[in-house]
Structures are given as structure tokens and as C-alpha cells.
Amino acid sequence: MAAARDAIADLRRIAFLLERANEATYRVRAFRSAAKTLGALPPNELAARAKAGTLTELSGVGEVTARAVTESLTGEEPVYLRRLEATEGTDLDAAATDLRTALRGDCHTHSDWSDGGSPIEEMALAAVEIGHEYVVVTDHSPRLTVAKGLTAARLRRQLDHIAAVNDALPEGFRILTGIEVDILADGSLDQDDELLARLDVVVGSVHSGLRDDSARMTRRMLAAIANPHLDILGHCTGRMVAARPAGVTGPGDRGHRARTRPPSDFDAVAVFAACVEYDKAVEINSRPERQDPPKRLIRVALEAGCRFAIDTDAHAPGQLDWQRFGCQRAALCGVPADQVVNTWPAEQLVEWTASHVG
């Protein structure tokens, strides 16, 4: 008889692939909940319950997840996993593949400390599995209350937590500290300067007043870009193209419901010129429902000489593999790898962000 597989790892892999494929939240949650419940059992009890057919007596374990576990323990790749592995993925052309291969990390991700659906530890382990060398945790700032934005006190606790998690992670991988800070109406950043100075990476995004007139939005963005604490301008137009089906969101995606929203109006030439002047990066946001900035603005930023960050804005582990979407759009616009800051090693990235503060 074949040796038993790691049943819990198989459940987590299924959840990862479901997230990556934009499947419905309830399906993802079923496998993650089962993995959490069954992962707490002693191995001998897990095997005994599988043999006796009593796995479904446990809270959070249904017939589909129990069947997958039983198949794993008999040494068989679960049918559910095998089907997902056979159908997952999108072919990339050579330029996009080369760009994706060059990426070493992700500078914009969320955990369950704000509006993400998974703990920092799970996000980090998923990043390791897809080959990253680092991931930046960028949970929201205080004024975005709908997303459980982090107060200064909570952010300090998160920094201590990340330090402890880093000590337990595989050698060669690192969680970098960060924040997705709101760009407020006057262009200031929604967090204490002292805390922003402690972070490895600061992504600044506009989440309110998205219909401001062009002059006002431009002044707001220019003030933020000039702020020495900001490193990356996040999803600069704020648009939503509703690429995801209605009702399909990842766990914790409160701010990413499927709907359309037009891009904000601003002077892109002036904004991207400021990014070059202050050596700040423009984010190419890989979320399917954002696709932000649009390709025409990526080309404007490229012509201006901007640096870029190809990020996922992931709110769940499987979404970390959405970078391929951003790489496809970047490659179509001719963005070279040497202008993408997350192709750099962590040390070089942190050296670059530190140079903004001086």
C-alpha cells in the first residue's frame, strides 16, 4: 500500500488553488476550516477517525473534505485536488513568464489583522511555497474602519508579532513590515510618522473622495508622493472593472466586491513625474477586478521613467499567485524587470525605501 500523504497539506493546497482560481468563498472556507480542525488532532486519532468514517462528526468537516482526507491517508492524491491541478493555471507568454520568474517578493498583502482572511503565518508560508524570498504585510491604516484599519497601538503589536514569526520561518525567507496607508484629503498619510519610519515598506493609496475633480486629486497625490515615508503609490486610479463574478470573493475581501467603478481623474503626467523626482514606485495591482493602472497609464509611467511594483493586494494565501496577471499587463506594456522594485533582494528593497526618509 502506498505511504500516506500529508492530508492537512492536501487540504490547504486545495484551498490555495480555489483562491487562485477565484472560486466562491464558502468553498475555500470549507477546506481551510477542515484543515484547522483536523490539524489540531493527534495523527493517530486522525487516522482512526478516517478508518471509522467519523471525520464528519467534527465541527467544520464535511463529506467532501472528509473524503479528501481519507484518500490522502491511503496514499492517493485526492480526486478534488487532482482535478484542480489538472485545470489550474493560465499560460503566460515568454515576456510575462520571464518577468514573473524575476519577482522575488510581493509588496502589498493583507492579513486577518485588517480585512484579510488568513493569519500572517499562513500568508508567509504560502509565499514560501510559490517561491518568494519575502512578503510585505501591508494591512490598512486607522481611518479605513470598514477594513479594521490598524491603530498605532495595534500596528506596534503587529510589528512585535512579525518579529516573532520571522524567527520561526525557513531560512532565506523574510516577512517585511509595512502598511497600506490611506492618502487623506490633504495628501497627508494616515499613520504616525514615527511608526511609518519604522516600517520597511509604505504603500500609499486613495480610498475615499475618488470622484474629486482632477486638480484636487492631483494636489492630493502630489503631496503624498513628496512625503518621505511613502514608497509605493498603490492602485492609483481606484478603478474597479468587475472582472470577478458577482458573489465571488476571497475570504476577508470586504473591500473587493464585484462592481464597476470608473478611474479617478488626475494629471497622470504630473503625478508620474513626481514619482520619478522622488524615486517612488507606481504599483501595478494584479487583482483581476482592479487591473490598476490601466495599460495606457502604465505606458505613460514607463515613458516618464517610473519604477514599478507588481503586487497582488492579496487578501488570502491563494491570491498571492495572482502576480501573473500583473506580469501579463506589464509585459504587454514593455515594462523591463530592472524597473520593478520587487525583482530586487529584500536587502536592496529596504535600502531603497530607507533612502526616501534620508
Side-chain angles (χ1 to χ4, degrees):
M1 188 174 67
R5 293 168 58 92
D6 185 333
I8 308 306
D10 282 345
L11 292 177
R12 288 176 175 149
R13 177 65 179 168
I14 290 170
F16 178 92
L17 292 173
L18 288 171
E19 287 166 344
R20 186 164 72 176
N22 259 346
E23 291 289 346
T25 302
Y26 74 89
R27 289 182 180 152
V28 178
R29 187 175 293 124
F31 286 95
R32 290 213 179 276
S33 296
K36 183 176 181 180
T37 296
L38 298 176
L41 296 178
N44 59 340
E45 182 179 346
L46 178 63
R49 282 186 172 274
K51 185 176 181 179
T54 60
L55 288 171
T56 55
E57 294 177 0
L58 298 171
S59 175
V61 182
E63 290 185 6
V64 174
T65 51
R67 187 181 310 119
V69 168
T70 301
E71 291 166 347
S72 294
L73 293 177
T74 61
E76 177 187 354
E77 182 179 25
V79 172
Y80 202 111
L81 176 56
R82 188 163 65 246
R83 288 173 179 165
L84 285 173
E85 295 279 15
T87 59
E88 62 89 22
T90 301
D91 289 338
L92 298 177
D93 64 26
T97 298
D98 290 345
L99 190 51
R100 174 63 187 88
T101 301
L103 295 179
R104 294 171 180 256
D106 194 330
C107 295
H108 185 172
T109 71
H110 296 274
S111 76
D112 61 1
W113 283 67
S114 65
D115 63 342
S118 295
I120 290 171
E121 296 88 335
E122 285 190 20
M123 297 295 288
L125 291 174
V128 171
E129 288 175 6
I130 64 174
H132 281 333
E133 298 173 13
Y134 56 87
V135 66
V136 188
V137 175
T138 53
D139 282 316
H140 288 286
S141 60
R143 295 209 189 181
L144 203 63
T145 54
V146 69
K148 297 192 303 180
L150 271 62
T151 63
R154 290 184 64 218
L155 180 55
R156 289 189 181 93
R157 290 199 297 273
Q158 186 184 77
L159 296 182
D160 292 339
H161 180 72
I162 288 174
V165 174
N166 266 330
D167 288 340
L169 287 172
E171 186 176 354
F173 182 86
R174 178 179 172 192
I175 302 172
L176 299 180
T177 60
I179 192 170
E180 184 185 13
V181 64
D182 267 27
I183 296 173
L184 303 178
D186 62 356
S188 60
L189 304 183
D190 180 33
Q191 191 50 273
D192 296 348
D193 284 347
E194 172 266 326
L195 269 174
L196 293 175
R198 289 179 58 187
L199 301 174
D200 294 317
V201 179
V202 174
V203 177
S205 304
V206 174
H207 288 108
S208 60
L210 293 169
R211 302 273 61 81
D212 282 352
D213 64 65
S214 178
R216 185 173 184 178
M217 181 64 77
T218 301
R219 288 194 299 271
R220 182 180 181 182
M221 296 172 78
L222 292 177
I225 293 164
N227 189 307
H229 295 297
L230 185 139
D231 304 308
I232 298 170
L233 180 62
H235 49 70
C236 64
T237 77
R239 76 173 187 169
M240 289 284 185
V241 297
R244 303 173 73 183
V248 177
T249 59
D253 283 355
R254 298 182 186 88
H256 297 280
R257 300 297 184 247
R259 66 198 185 280
T260 58
R261 184 168 65 210
S264 295
D265 190 14
F266 59 91
D267 184 339
V269 171
V271 166
F272 296 146
C275 288
V276 173
E277 178 183 355
Y278 293 102
D279 195 21
K280 308 300 175 70
V282 175
E283 178 182 74
I284 297 176
N285 190 290
S286 300
R287 291 194 71 90
E289 76 276 23
R290 283 194 180 276
Q291 299 180 35
D292 194 1
K295 291 192 291 293
R296 66 176 182 83
L297 288 188
I298 295 176
R299 293 186 179 102
V300 172
L302 182 62
E303 290 170 6
C306 289
R307 300 189 193 275
F308 297 90
I310 301 177
D311 299 327
T312 60
D313 195 355
H315 286 63
Q319 296 174 8
L320 288 166
D321 215 17
W322 284 355
Q323 276 181 320
R324 65 190 190 279
F325 301 139
C327 288
Q328 287 173 322
R329 297 173 59 249
L332 285 171
C333 297
V335 175
D338 62 6
Q339 284 181 237
V340 179
V341 299
N342 47 325
T343 65
W344 300 342
E347 294 76 12
Q348 183 179 354
L349 178 69
V350 172
E351 182 180 351
W352 170 71
T353 60
S355 72
H356 297 147
V357 180

